[in-house]
Amino acid sequence: MNDKITEHGAESCCITDAKFHSCEIKGEFSENNMSGCRFERCNLSGSALAESDMTGAVLDKVNLTGAEFTGCDLSGVNISDCKLEGAEIDGISIKELIEFYKNNHKENKAMKKNVRKAIIAGNWKMNKTRPEAKALLEELKPMVADVNDVEIVACVPFTNLETALNVTAGTNIKIGAENCHFEKSGAFTGEISADMLAEMGVEYVVLGHSERRQYFAETDETVNKRTKAALAAGLKPIVCVGELLWERECNITEEVIARQIKLDFYDISADDLKKCVIAYEPVWAIGTGKTATADQAEEVCAFIRATLAKLYGEEVAESITIQYGGSMNAGNAAELVSKTNVDGGLIGGASLKAADFTTIIMAAHNG
Ligand code: PEP
């Protein structure tokens, strides 16, 4: 329909499921059955609809300025992209209502972000001998000594764990390992179990890092097993997820991430999930100098939270720390950690310099 229905109006008509496109609809409409009608790009300004059944109607790009709906059944009505100047529901301005909702929602999210403690974790990878590890941590200690609102973690090679634990004993720097095996003990030459780490006093362990997945054939299944083993030993797993460049280019980032979240946390209870940290690390940004923009990081971190909400409920999802990782550095950290769903970072290269790592920690501290 592409019409001008002005001044006439309609009474007691059955116009169910009709489609009105680019129509100008004025006048009085009462006691009509207009359920399922679709109004697209119509001008309803100044019209009056009374006692009508409009259930399930769709109003898309409609000018509703000054339109009146009285005693109508509007359940299930979908209004999108419409002009709502002066529109009111029971005397309350719709625009003001929307504004109020948006602000509260934003504030609410921001408040929840404040409830989660940001975690800035360094992932040293295969770097630093023991004397070098000691020197780096000795330099870092006084620089971050006053920071108590950010959890500071250094995830170091196995050979540095004892040194790191000794140097940081009694400080606000926590120590993590870079992996652990899923078996408790046995014939697994070259592997380290979660119990071995826990017994040393290690608190965190990075699991499922893309370099482990890429170069050491780790899969979501073994990441899941490692996560369970780490949790059973009392460690806090930092579980890494992230898409490859071509997966992003093929527009399947969300599918990839949802799959990783479902598999990596398969059969893990809500209580155990709360002990985990998730690091969103787009593989194309790790060690490449290419950082995801703050908006890209926020988008995927928010998606991770929404996925967790579907699996575990909103309350659990809101309590989980989700970090961003991938070429985070002293220059871009502040913008990244300012995002609502980015609760800190997992930092590779920049964690090897005390000054740079401190700047990133301060960004989370001031943010
Ligand atoms: C990492 O190793 O987890 C990482 C994010 O590395 P980089 O910061 O060097 O990209």
Side-chain angles (χ1 to χ4, degrees), residues 112-131:
K112 284 178 180 152
K113 180 178 168 85
N114 292 343
V115 166
R116 298 186 291 268
K117 194 170 183 183
I119 302 179
I120 300 292
N123 172 26
W124 288 10
K125 312 194 191 208
M126 195 172 71
N127 290 296
K128 305 288 177 192
T129 60
R130 283 183 304 164

Side-chain angles (χ1 to χ4, degrees), residues 123-125 206 209-211 240 281 285-290 324-329 346-351:
N123 172 26
W124 288 10
K125 312 194 191 208
V206 177
H209 191 280
S210 65
E211 286 151 17
C240 304
E281 298 213 311
I286 299 175
T288 57
K290 271 192 191 174
Y324 167 77
S327 300
M328 197 191 261
N329 58 41
L346 181 58
I347 294 107
S351 69

